[in-house]
Amino acid sequence: MSAREKYWLKVWDEKHAFEPDPVAGKKKVFVTFPFPYMNAAVHVGTAFTASHLEFYSRFKRLQGFNVLFPWAWHWTGQPIVGMSKRLREGDPVVRRTFIELDHVPEKEVAKFVEPEYLASYYTKQSRQVMKETGFSIDWRREFRTIDPAFRKFVEWQYFHLRDLGYVVQGTHPVVWCPFDKSPTGDHDRMEGEGVSPAEFNLIKFHLGEFALVAATLRPETIYGATNVWVNPDADYTEARVDGELWVVSSTSLSRLSEQKHDVVPVREFKGSELLGRYAIAPLTGKSLPILPGKFVDPSLATGVVYSVPAHAPYDLMALRDIQEGRVQVGRQVKEIADEIAPVPILTLPGYSKVPADDVVRKLNIKDSMDPNLEAATQGLYSAEFHKGVLTQASGPLAGLTVAEAKDKSLVLMAKTERLSKMFELPEKVVCRCGTRCYVKILENQWFLNYSNPEWKAKARLIIDRAAMFPEEARQMFYSTIEWLNDWPCARRSGMGTRLPWDKDWLVETLSDSTIYMAYYCISKFVNMEKIGPDNLTSDVLDYVLLGKGNPASIAKAAKTTERVLRDLRTEFTYWYPVDLRNSGKDLIPNHLTFFAFHHAALFPEKYWPLGFGINGMITIEGKRMSKTKGNFVSWEDAKKKYGADAFRLALALTADGMDDADWRDRAAMDAKEKVESLMPFVRKTLRSASNREENELDSWLISTVNGRIVAATAAMEELRMRRASATIFLDIWNDLRHYLRRAEKPRRQTLTEVFSAWVRMISPFTPFMAEDLNHELGGKGLICQADWPSPRDFPVDEEAVLGEAVLGKVIEDARNVLRVVKGKRSRLNVYVSSDSARSYFFEMASAKRKKENVGAVVKKYAQLKIQPDRVFKLAFEIGDDRLTKLLAHRGFNEFKALSGASGFMSAELGIPVVVQKAGSKTINDPANRAKDALPTKPAFYLE
RNA sequence: GCGGGGGUCGCCCAGCCUGGUCAACGGCGCGAGGCUUAGGACCUCGUCCCUCAGGGGUUCGUGGGUUCGAAUCCCACCCCCCGCACCA
């Protein structure tokens, strides 16, 4: 960190510049960021998202608002604990992450076996780097989500949600790790990402007094069943399940019992024992032989399936394996199998009667072990589902589509009690701990009832009313609200707050972070030790957050003072609602929408959030950021490498709206150079300035700055930081360059005015440099407490703007001519249009505009010999806006503007330029070109 | 599959809502010149094709359409990215 940075940090700190308290009558802005999770230090992605709030905060402060930008740290949940645990178990990958990627000293890593130490280390480091980057955060309100006082706040929230009926209990299938004794989410899996429980139909085939229970996802194919498959090598069990006698694979018993089936095993035997026996199918009543199928996985559902060779490639190939002797079976079984022919049950356009045969041929599949069978199955199932129609062979299902037949077959089988259900994972899932997962039905789980239509409606209302930056994000919120179902809001493990009425459960991490912005109003008092966790009773929080109850008696009961309670209430009612919450777009489908839901549930409308800012995700040099791939830039690395100001500016210039931001070293280095050269540029410019009268060029610069202020202000208001910072750093800089090139002598007064505005405009982005520059320019006080420039102080002089625009166009045209015309040239004559040509043009243009007949005008100026279509063409080229301005400023003296710049033109074009006015008597016009001149379009003659 | 966002002149990207001032902003890269002992930085000009008077031609994923006029509006299609839940 540089000495200057240290100095200004100290000054801001001493002045308490970013520690706002309620000020009655002063308008406020309350901005928040979704706290970062502390299993790692903050990175450039965090910085990018947070920087929007930082720039916005500083901007709003300059606009005179009382701005609160607080910060906190998320410790709740599984990953911190998980990393600690893996470290304790000696996992080398975790250790390497800490040491090589996060640069944590060995000595510290040793202590990371304690999860809270791990989190506190990263918290400390993150806080430090954020401070050094100059983030204007009120650190007095900082907290962690496991702080005792915060826990009281979460408990309060959950009591209320339960009372309101938004927390409900339910039963639900989950992917379960028997070792961790916990649901295994996508991110916790070694294998099987994206796999979720599917509901299998269990179809009972009568086998004497038993039911041989086959599992299927395609019950509508029952009429095409030709046999039943069991794995001859696997163990099967006769068991009493829910009071019935079932035959299923032995391994399925434990899973059935996890799914609330009542299971009592009776006798275990090998699958081969079943071969050659017959089982009676439901609906069809057909007696089907039981055949050996090695492809049958005993650990998938019941380990029994029925065979539909006409429509299932696996079944077809398994059957042929036996028929064609590729699989050795007993003679009796072989004879049975030889008798079996596929039974088609549906028609599929573009396929033969036996579609399974078509696909098998097409993919050149040889036997039932062929790896292409999976793809064949997928393809055929999907085709049949969308285009298949059941035939007469399917009896009552005839004429139905597959989807319809599926439903009807299930209804029919349920009627005859030949149907049961079981959840199963369609693919293998392995937990990070290495244990194979299965489906468990969890009972009495706690859910947030997001499916509740009234709650949804209220959440939608928040989105309807809130400001949204960018606007496109709004639709994503609406879709999320529609799609959101009940959310399990409690877990068994990790850090966090216990459900106050059911201490076996911890409030899940996303669910404890929905209204915590309100807690920033309380944490200030907790950190100042004006109130402690023990004082934060339900009644106290009811009073502070909802205004309920009598503060005097509540204070007494809670062993605190009425004064403190009233201050807390004032704090809350002053800052709330949240004016702006900014985050990456990845949080829309969960956190941000939860945030809306919970505010809708707990607070009156006047405290509902008012604004959402959404930005894209960050990539590094065009690639997704990933620690394991080494494609990772920490906040600290970036800040150290480029310096605080340049890092901030680079963040601002990266992206706008929901576009993904690409972090490039090259661009950041560029920003660094800009930042470093700004001060020398200002110094040099001022040294070259003199005191003189204001001229047209000064008016032009002032007018231009007016437009820049308007544009930058609008962009800041909409959180378009790239546009704002580009206007401020690139456009204004270019304007100044143009001014300096044009001006023979830059005017000190003009420059001072522009620099004064400029330094304030750059300050949200590069606050350290802005303070330095302000100091350099002799500004008093702190720039972070100055006023945002007003366009009113930079009046627009339309004629000066016109003059500069015409000059630019003339130079461009002249360059074109000079480029194209070869040969000797000694000077360029520029003929500004005559007064009569001018009048002609204006009269024509306004007549056309008023849709009047132009004939009279043409006649009136006939002696000028200017073709009317030239006039229209020029009017068209000039464009509506500028034409309006020209018509409004007929006094604009084009000759004066251009002749005043003849020296400049000569220098720019590298050839002497002589500006003359057409129609004057002394004009030098050997080629008779002057008559062609029109307003803003002078004629040229190259000598 | 569902939902959202995109495809622009070598690269990154602005413009699209509110059609014409768009051969299309800005940055990078590249070329020329200036400045400099030199390099870097900085400044200027150029960077789709053609053009000896400010002009012309062909462009904004593909194919249609609306319009006097489309990168911008409508339709269809192709391609890319992101999210899809018991988890931060």
Side-chain angles (χ1 to χ4, degrees), chain A residues 30 32 70-72 141 143 516-524:
Chain A
F30 180 25
T32 66
W71 198 268
R141 299 167 192 265
F143 67 91
Y516 73 86
M517 314 80 212
Y519 182 73
Y520 287 123
C521 302
I522 298 169
S523 61
K524 183 181 107 179

Side-chain angles (χ1 to χ4, degrees), chain A residues 350-351 355-365 372 376:
Chain A
Y351 289 81
D357 189 47
D358 299 350
V359 267
V360 161
R361 266 177 221 260
K362 199 169 154 198
L363 292 174
N364 200 17
I365 288 166
N372 282 334

